[in-house]
Amino acid sequence: MPRILLIDDDAQLGPPLAAYFARFDMGLTCALRPSEGLALLRAAPRQGGFDAAILDVMLPEMDGFELCRTIRKESGIPVIMLTARGDVMDRVVGLELGADDYVPKPFEPRELVARVQTVLRRRTAGAPAPTRLEFDGLVIDPTTRTVLRQGQHLDLTSTEFDLLHLLARDAGKVFTRDDILNHLRGHEAELYTRAVDIVVSRLRKKLEPLDAIKTLRNAGYSLALARVQPAANGSTTA
């Protein structure tokens, strides 16, 4: 059963939402304050871990943006943000900080469940037969969803990993924004074009000093690293 963490200071929201999530075989744990939620996240690996987090933007102690930033320093867990404000820029800021999706308040519980199911599905989706992909300075393992850059482990969000895996599965191919959007579904429609640019920019920065992602003006993006293949003795060859 997937475990979801909700951090929202509305004490009336959590219990009925937890009951609703249980109908879809998901466990929802509720925290009223960011400090409580962070403590649960940090303790969670010893108890099986959380599979996704839902953050309200308006919180005591720190707002949802700062909370998302703090979580992103420690974890690549999928994050969905809730906002009572209709400001598109709030959603853009959340995406820039590493959120995977946004749901405006008030929301229908079924919509929130569907968004959570989508980010969880993206986290487990991939090629029909997951294969370790190795490039010059970069190793991508879709089975464990881990990435090594020059031997160093990278902390990527689920959206960043999905984008990198998409580009890597067909390195050199130019993927248009529409191609990427069709693969990374879930964001608000008015954010689609901006969201792609944000995720690409964030991923490109994490991959530095590798010059990994090439931009083709008015066309799209491609992975610009040389593929290497494992040799018989366990080493790799170009």
Side-chain angles (χ1 to χ4, degrees):
M1 175 183 291
R3 296 182 64 207
I4 315 300
L5 176 63
L6 170 69
I7 305 178
D8 192 307
D9 62 341
D10 183 353
Q12 305 302 314
L13 178 64
L17 203 55
Y20 190 82
F21 268 62
R23 293 168 52 186
F24 296 87
D25 295 321
M26 289 189 283
L28 186 71
T29 300
C30 306
L32 296 177
R33 305 179 73 83
S35 56
E36 179 187 355
L38 288 171
L40 288 169
L41 279 173
R42 289 162 180 162
R46 299 193 296 271
Q47 305 164 7
F50 285 102
D51 298 287
I54 303 169
L55 316 179
D56 190 21
V57 169
M58 303 299 291
L59 289 168
E61 300 180 340
M62 66 177 77
D63 65 26
F65 300 131
E66 183 62 28
L67 179 56
C68 182
R69 183 184 293 111
T70 301
I71 290 173
R72 276 291 163 258
K73 292 177 181 178
E74 305 176 16
S75 172
I77 185 174
V79 170
I80 295 174
M81 301 195 73
L82 304 177
T83 177
R85 294 179 287 186
D87 190 346
V88 170
M89 284 309 299
D90 279 355
R91 284 170 261 174
V92 170
V93 169
L95 292 172
E96 289 174 336
L97 293 176
D100 295 275
D101 203 354
Y102 242 106
V103 176
K105 286 184 173 182
F107 58 84
E108 291 293 332
R110 186 65 187 92
E111 179 189 3
L112 183 58
V113 166
R115 296 296 187 96
V116 171
Q117 290 172 329
T118 295
V119 297
L120 294 179
R121 195 160 51 241
R122 289 209 308 261
R123 193 171 180 84
T124 57
T131 303
R132 180 182 170 101
L133 302 172
E134 300 189 26
F135 300 85
D136 187 13
L138 188 70
V139 178
I140 304 166
D141 190 332
T143 302
T144 59
R145 294 182 65 85
T146 56
V147 176
L148 296 178
R149 181 206 59 208
Q150 298 178 336
Q152 178 184 12
H153 175 76
L154 291 186
D155 288 323
L156 302 183
T157 68
S158 60
T159 302
E160 291 164 355
F161 181 90
D162 290 340
L163 171 60
L164 180 59
H165 190 214
L166 173 68
L167 299 178
R169 291 205 309 261
D170 203 345
K173 175 183 174 180
V174 177
F175 289 86
T176 67
R177 284 184 175 86
D178 285 343
D179 293 332
I180 295 171
L181 290 170
N182 288 335
H183 186 74
L184 305 178
R185 293 183 292 273
H187 297 300
E188 297 279 337
E190 67 267 26
L191 290 178
Y192 272 2
T193 299
R194 178 71 188 274
V196 170
D197 295 335
I198 289 170
V199 176
V200 169
S201 176
R202 206 169 59 215
L203 178 60
R204 181 181 278 135
K205 184 172 181 62
K206 289 186 178 183
L207 292 172
E208 292 177 349
L210 298 178
D211 187 14
I213 300 178
K214 182 178 181 181
T215 302
L216 287 87
R217 186 179 297 276
N218 299 323
Y221 302 98
S222 67
L223 191 71
L225 296 177
R227 182 80 181 269
V228 296
Q229 300 291 342
N233 61 5
S235 61
T236 58
T237 59

